[in-house]
Amino acid sequence: MKQPLPLPVPDPKSLTESQVLKSLTSLLTSEFTSQSVNSYIPYFTANPKLLVSLFSSHTLFHKPTVLLSLFKWAKTHLCDSVAHSPLTLLSLLPSLIAHHKFVDAKSLLTTFIAGDKQNVLHRHILHPDRSVRISNALLDLSIAAYVASGKPHHAAQLFNKMKKLHFKPNLLTCNTLLNALVRYPSKHSLTVARAVYRDADKLGVQVNTNTFNILIRGCCLESNFEEAKELFRKMGEKGCDPDNVSYNTMLDAFCKKGMLNEARELLLDMKEKKLVPNRLTYNILISGYCKLGWLKDAAKVIELMTQSDVLPDVWTYNMLLDGFCKDGRLEEAFRLKEEMENLKLLPDVVSYNTLINGCFEFGSSSESFRLIEEMNEKGVKLNACTYNTMLKWFVKQGNMHEASRTIEKMEENGFSPDKVTYNTLINGYCKVGKLSDAFKMMNEMVGKSLKMDNVTLNVLLHTLCRERKLDEAYHLLNSASRRGYFVDDVSYGTLINGYFEDDKSSHALDLWSEMKEKKIIPTVVNYNIIIQGLCQLGKTDEAIEKLNELLGNGLVPNDITYNTIIHGYCWERQVEKAFQFHNKMVENLFKPDVFTCNILLRGLCKEGMLDKGLKLFNKWVLKGKADSATYNTMISGLCRQGRFKEAFDLYAEMEEKKLGPDVYTYNAILGALTDAGRLKDAEEFLAKIVETGKLHDQSLQFDKGQDVEAPGTPQDSDPGSVAYSQQINELCIQGKYKDAMEIFQESAKKGIALQKSSYIILMDGLIRRRKSISKTVQ
């Protein structure tokens, strides 16, 4: 076909639009070359609508390749107002869609969206003029493009447009949009996702198992397990069978929340449905057991894996490594590393990072740095997590200078500080009391487009609560929620605990109700906080109700749960109830530990039930469940009843077993002897322990010791205790130890217990006095 001659260039206005359009159409129909179209640039510039008219031409509609080439040419040779107009793109897309060039169409849309800061294209699709043809396929592709561009909420608005036009969306479009909304870090997104699912169902979209799996994942992210279970039920109604992904998603959520009973039931249901657990299923269970510290159970799952011909992988071993390291069992962790290497499963960067962190926490920093050297030798490259682990160590040591140097090294090796880095720094500044620097780091995060997550939030909440800035903490919690952040069980638990510690129990209980209203599922830790708070208020029976609620939610109570309730009953002087509860829990496989024994023993001694206490004490000694606090409790009880011979027998037994004695033992005996008026015996006992040199060393370690008194004893706030303690402290500072001893004897006769620090100051002073006298004599 004969190619038309180029139109004269000088005066674009001399020809009508139809003439130019006819000439260009003829040219493009025959053959497109960049050189042949270049001479028409003045016409395109003079008439911006010319390009839209060409793309809308019926003649060129069937030449999508030519139109695509013309569009690319226009982007290079024409000004932005012509080539980058949304109308230009929207006039081209119908031809591409009609000829199934979906990849090209989506690519053009995605590229345009990336540069469309004002969302002009989005507005044109939502509110098109007469020149734009909105089709089902165009909306489908646009939704996919906005999702791919990280704008699922814009995509959801286009989905809503489809609903209004009664267009039936593609199943892939629905699933892609749902997945993007569920993964988007905002609670509002999950609400939108539910609406999209309902609308798709109304428009007649045949949903599949993948659709339900995406929604189940969303519910699990919210800890909305009831809705997740309901979706499981609905799957059958829609002819969709749950698959491994469905079960694994739920199992993972249950295990992360410590809901092992629910997880077991789900696993049984999975087997009833003839679904074979895969490696991921087993790994999820192992992870759940490891997080609860049930390492034996985790090891049994590995045995079950091998019996089912499912081989453990590096991830399986990494979780076990993590479990051993968190439990401080480093020798077993290193043996596991050797086992991996023997099985030709080479430890990866995660394995090394886990061991490095474990050594920092429970071993030695030198061992951690040796592992880093080993990584370099074996070609395992350090990653951001390795640097963050080192950073965490320096922050823990309060060494912010080395922390800064670690970040410099991190950046030198091509790693940018991430959310973990900033969260660690924020935590570090909070620990050293530099809240302003912590908030400065938070602002720096936002400046670098690193969105504050619940870890950042929880660190700041913890610090504000520790500093008793509870109003600020509550404001932060509320503002974070309004901005769409995931406020989790840790956030609420932190503030609830803060309120209890500040004696604002009503605020704590209100926040607990608010947490439940917002369908944030409490964990065992949350229940332990509320149970402890109620026990401290003398409401242990109400705490039992919370325990029953915990069990009803499929959670597994831990030692802290049981010990807190036992302590609560003892604190209320209901020792019989404490033992009844203890016995009932033992029947339910609760294994009492040394803390349980000490709580019960102290309860008996406090109520004067000394003989029953002695029987219990002897029973636990035989079982190897007695520590220094157990002996101190018993000695203290015996001394209070004047049974000094038995007390001194236990004192000797403590020495023999190398369980002490310590400053608390001395306090109990000295106080009781003084109270009984046996001042000479008290002086002789004090002289004996001074001569051995034990008291001075231990008194210096007072803060690290273990008090036989339960937390929250009222003596420190008793006015009499405070007055006598201050007198003794002042006399000791002045070196008037004899006068201080007389005040001590006076307080003992009145039955007033001193502040613990005063006992230490007095003893320390008497030691110094005795040493001074000894030197003078020499």
Side-chain angles (χ1 to χ4, degrees):
M1 185 174 178
K2 190 176 179 182
Q3 188 170 310
L5 293 171
L7 292 172
V9 176
D11 184 13
K13 295 179 183 178
S14 62
L15 294 171
T16 63
E17 181 183 337
S18 61
Q19 289 175 315
V20 178
L21 190 60
K22 185 178 179 182
S23 178
L24 272 168
T25 303
S26 177
L27 174 65
L28 294 170
T29 305
S30 58
E31 184 182 356
F32 171 83
T33 64
S34 180
Q35 190 176 0
S36 63
V37 183
N38 282 348
S39 57
Y40 289 86
I41 290 175
Y43 294 97
F44 285 113
T45 306
N47 186 1
K49 293 182 179 179
L50 182 59
L51 199 58
V52 172
S53 299
L54 278 170
F55 288 140
S56 305
S57 164
H58 291 291
T59 308
L60 295 172
F61 183 80
H62 299 290
K63 294 203 174 271
T65 306
V66 172
L67 292 179
L68 194 56
S69 298
L70 179 63
F71 184 79
K72 290 175 181 177
W73 171 87
K75 285 181 70 177
T76 307
H77 295 85
L78 302 182
C79 61
D80 287 351
S81 61
V82 177
H84 295 273
S85 164
L87 290 174
T88 306
L89 176 61
L90 290 171
S91 61
L92 166 66
L93 290 174
S95 173
L96 299 181
I97 291 168
H99 293 86
H100 300 99
K101 291 189 174 290
F102 301 118
V103 174
D104 290 320
K106 184 183 173 184
S107 176
L108 292 177
L109 280 163
T110 307
T111 304
F112 193 97
I113 292 166
D116 187 16
K117 304 301 179 187
Q118 303 300 318
N119 296 312
V120 181
L121 176 64
H122 190 255
R123 288 199 297 275
H124 273 286
I125 299 173
L126 280 179
H127 310 289
D129 58 26
R130 291 181 180 180
S131 65
V132 178
R133 287 178 286 174
I134 299 296
S135 65
N136 197 333
L138 174 63
L139 286 170
D140 256 328
L141 273 173
S142 300
I143 289 168
Y146 274 101
V147 166
S149 302
K151 295 183 174 183
H153 289 277
H154 290 75
Q157 288 175 321
L158 296 181
F159 186 89
N160 201 39
K161 173 84 175 176
M162 289 188 86
K163 182 186 78 170
K164 288 177 181 177
L165 293 172
H166 301 288
F167 287 160
K168 184 179 176 180
N170 186 287
L171 175 61
L172 180 61
T173 304
C174 292
N175 287 348
T176 303
L177 176 56
L178 284 172
N179 190 50
L181 287 167
V182 163
R183 290 178 182 275
Y184 198 77
S186 166
K187 238 179 183 180
H188 174 61
S189 300
L190 296 174
T191 305
V192 176
R194 291 184 182 95
V196 167
Y197 166 73
R198 288 193 298 269
D199 291 338
D201 190 43
K202 288 175 185 174
L203 291 167
V205 177
Q206 292 295 314
V207 294
N208 62 5
T209 300
N210 190 32
T211 315
F212 282 101
N213 288 344
I214 294 164
L215 290 168
I216 288 167
R217 185 176 186 275
C219 292
C220 289
L221 282 173
E222 280 189 318
S223 298
N224 191 341
F225 299 125
E226 289 305 314
E227 188 177 345
K229 290 175 186 175
E230 180 63 17
L231 285 167
F232 254 84
R233 190 187 64 76
K234 280 185 180 177
M235 286 179 87
E237 293 177 6
K238 296 290 182 181
C240 306
D241 294 321
D243 59 8
N244 280 68
V245 176
S246 319
Y247 281 98
N248 287 345
T249 303
M250 287 286 283
L251 279 170
D252 185 49
F254 285 144
C255 288
K256 281 177 179 173
K257 287 286 182 182
M259 298 167 69
L260 268 297
N261 290 337
E262 295 274 4
R264 289 190 192 102
E265 287 176 15
L266 200 65
L267 196 62
L268 289 172
D269 186 53
M270 186 180 183
K271 288 178 179 177
E272 284 175 13
K273 296 277 198 316
K274 307 297 181 186
L275 281 171
V276 180
N278 56 21
R279 184 184 285 121
L280 180 59
T281 314
Y282 290 115
N283 282 346
I284 287 166
L285 289 170
I286 290 166
S287 177
Y289 284 128
C290 286
K291 279 175 183 174
L292 284 175
W294 298 4
L295 300 177
K296 286 183 180 178
D297 296 273
K300 285 177 185 175
V301 175
I302 289 185
E303 288 176 21
L304 190 63
M305 283 179 81
T306 51
Q307 288 168 12
S308 305
D309 294 325
V310 180
L311 294 175
D313 56 9
V314 175
W315 189 31
T316 317
Y317 277 99
N318 282 348
M319 283 183 289
L320 266 178
L321 276 174
D322 187 57
F324 282 127
C325 286
K326 280 179 179 171
D327 205 36
R329 293 157 67 175
L330 294 181
E331 285 185 19
E332 290 168 87
F334 276 98
R335 276 202 298 271
L336 200 65
K337 175 177 174 277
E338 287 177 20
E339 186 182 311
M340 285 177 73
E341 290 168 334
N342 292 336
L343 291 170
K344 306 299 179 187
L345 287 171
L346 297 178
D348 60 8
V349 67
V350 177
S351 319
Y352 277 103
N353 287 344
T354 304
L355 287 165
I356 290 164
N357 188 59
C359 288
F360 274 138
E361 292 289 337
F362 299 101
S364 65
S365 55
S366 59
E367 183 66 18
S368 295
F369 290 116
R370 187 197 66 75
L371 283 166
I372 292 168
E373 286 177 16
E374 186 182 306
M375 286 176 76
N376 289 319
E377 289 166 9
K378 293 193 174 181
V380 181
K381 290 185 178 180
L382 280 67
N383 63 7
C385 183
T386 322
Y387 287 104
N388 284 334
T389 303
M390 287 190 280
L391 179 69
K392 185 176 78 170
W393 166 252
F394 290 126
V395 162
K396 190 176 181 181
Q397 298 296 307
N399 192 341
M400 298 308 289
H401 174 69
E402 279 299 324
S404 299
R405 283 189 61 190
T406 302
I407 293 172
E408 286 173 14
K409 287 179 187 175
M410 184 179 184
E411 290 177 320
E412 283 169 12
N413 286 287
F415 295 103
S416 297
D418 56 14
K419 280 195 289 190
V420 176
T421 316
Y422 277 101
N423 286 340
T424 307
L425 281 172
I426 288 166
N427 188 33
Y429 284 122
C430 286
K431 277 187 174 179
V432 296
K434 294 183 177 180
L435 252 181
S436 58
D437 285 329
F439 278 102
K440 184 181 174 183
M441 286 294 106
M442 190 182 82
N443 293 331
E444 195 174 302
M445 276 181 81
V446 176
K448 290 188 176 181
S449 299
L450 291 169
K451 207 168 189 180
M452 185 181 83
D453 60 9
N454 56 353
V455 177
T456 322
L457 175 69
N458 293 338
V459 166
L460 290 166
L461 281 172
H462 177 76
T463 305
L464 289 168
C465 289
R466 189 183 64 205
E467 296 191 4
R468 296 291 189 268
K469 295 179 178 178
L470 298 173
D471 289 340
E472 289 179 46
Y474 185 70
H475 174 74
L476 181 61
L477 183 75
N478 275 344
S479 63
S481 185
R482 283 198 303 272
R483 290 172 192 164
Y485 293 109
F486 279 104
V487 178
D488 61 7
D489 51 275
V490 179
S491 314
Y492 273 94
T494 302
L495 191 48
I496 289 168
N497 189 56
Y499 279 134
F500 273 127
E501 287 186 352
D502 205 41
D503 294 326
K504 293 179 177 176
S505 55
S506 61
H507 287 70
L509 295 170
D510 287 344
L511 205 60
W512 174 264
S513 300
E514 182 183 311
M515 179 182 175
K516 302 285 283 295
E517 283 169 14
K518 291 186 176 179
K519 296 186 177 179
I520 296 173
I521 306 296
T523 61
V524 173
V525 175
N526 294 123
Y527 276 104
N528 285 346
I529 290 167
I530 203 80
I531 285 169
Q532 185 179 33
L534 289 168
C535 288
Q536 285 173 351
L537 292 171
K539 297 180 179 180
T540 308
D541 286 335
E542 286 185 38
I544 292 287
E545 290 174 15
K546 297 300 176 191
L547 173 63
N548 292 332
E549 188 181 303
L550 179 158
L551 294 164
N553 286 336
L555 294 169
V556 181
N558 56 24
D559 294 348
I560 295 170
T561 321
Y562 293 124
N563 286 339
T564 302
I565 291 174
I566 291 168
H567 182 267
Y569 278 130
C570 289
W571 184 251
E572 291 179 34
R573 310 193 80 159
Q574 298 189 62
V575 182
E576 290 299 329
K577 270 193 172 183
F579 273 94
Q580 287 169 12
F581 176 78
H582 165 269
N583 296 338
K584 187 179 178 182
M585 292 305 105
V586 168
E587 288 172 14
N588 292 328
L589 304 179
F590 165 55
K591 296 176 182 177
D593 57 14
V594 68
F595 298 106
T596 320
C597 303
N598 292 342
I599 292 164
L600 287 168
L601 187 60
R602 185 177 177 278
L604 289 169
C605 291
K606 195 175 179 181
E607 293 304 303
M609 301 163 73
L610 209 59
D611 290 331
K612 189 173 181 179
L614 273 169
K615 284 180 184 177
L616 207 59
F617 172 79
N618 291 327
K619 183 180 175 182
W620 284 329
V621 167
L622 287 172
K623 288 184 177 180
K625 286 187 177 180
D627 63 2
S628 60
T630 321
Y631 275 90
N632 285 339
T633 303
M634 203 66 247
I635 288 168
S636 180
L638 288 166
C639 285
R640 276 199 293 269
Q641 287 200 2
R643 295 162 69 168
F644 290 105
K645 184 181 182 304
E646 291 168 274
F648 277 109
D649 286 344
L650 288 183
Y651 177 89
E653 195 176 306
M654 269 186 99
E655 285 188 308
E656 188 183 323
K657 291 185 176 180
K658 295 182 179 178
L659 289 171
D662 56 23
V663 68
Y664 302 101
T665 327
Y666 304 140
N667 277 348
I669 295 172
L670 277 171
L673 286 170
T674 308
D675 192 39
R678 297 170 59 171
L679 299 181
K680 189 176 179 183
D681 291 337
E683 284 278 357
E684 286 175 3
F685 180 69
L686 189 58
K688 184 181 176 182
I689 58 179
V690 168
E691 281 171 19
T692 59
K694 291 178 183 176
L695 178 61
H696 186 61
D697 293 338
Q698 291 201 9
S699 67
L700 295 176
Q701 297 296 319
F702 175 76
D703 289 333
K704 294 179 183 177
Q706 184 184 359
D707 198 344
V708 294
E709 294 291 325
T713 49
Q715 64 194 45
D716 286 350
S717 58
D718 178 57
S721 172
V722 173
Y724 275 105
S725 297
Q726 283 177 349
Q727 277 184 280
I728 288 169
N729 293 352
E730 286 170 12
L731 288 167
C732 287
I733 290 167
Q734 295 168 24
K736 297 178 181 178
Y737 302 116
K738 190 176 179 182
D739 295 338
M741 191 64 184
E742 288 175 6
I743 299 293
F744 165 65
Q745 289 162 359
E746 185 185 325
S747 69
K749 285 175 185 175
K750 291 183 178 180
I752 295 172
L754 299 176
Q755 293 176 330
K756 296 296 184 188
S757 57
S758 298
Y759 284 109
I760 301 304
I761 291 167
L762 178 57
M763 289 183 200
D764 201 44
L766 291 170
I767 292 165
R768 292 174 191 276
R769 178 172 174 264
R770 197 167 288 273
K771 282 184 177 179
S772 176
I773 293 168
S774 178
K775 282 181 182 179
T776 305
V777 170
Q778 288 173 359

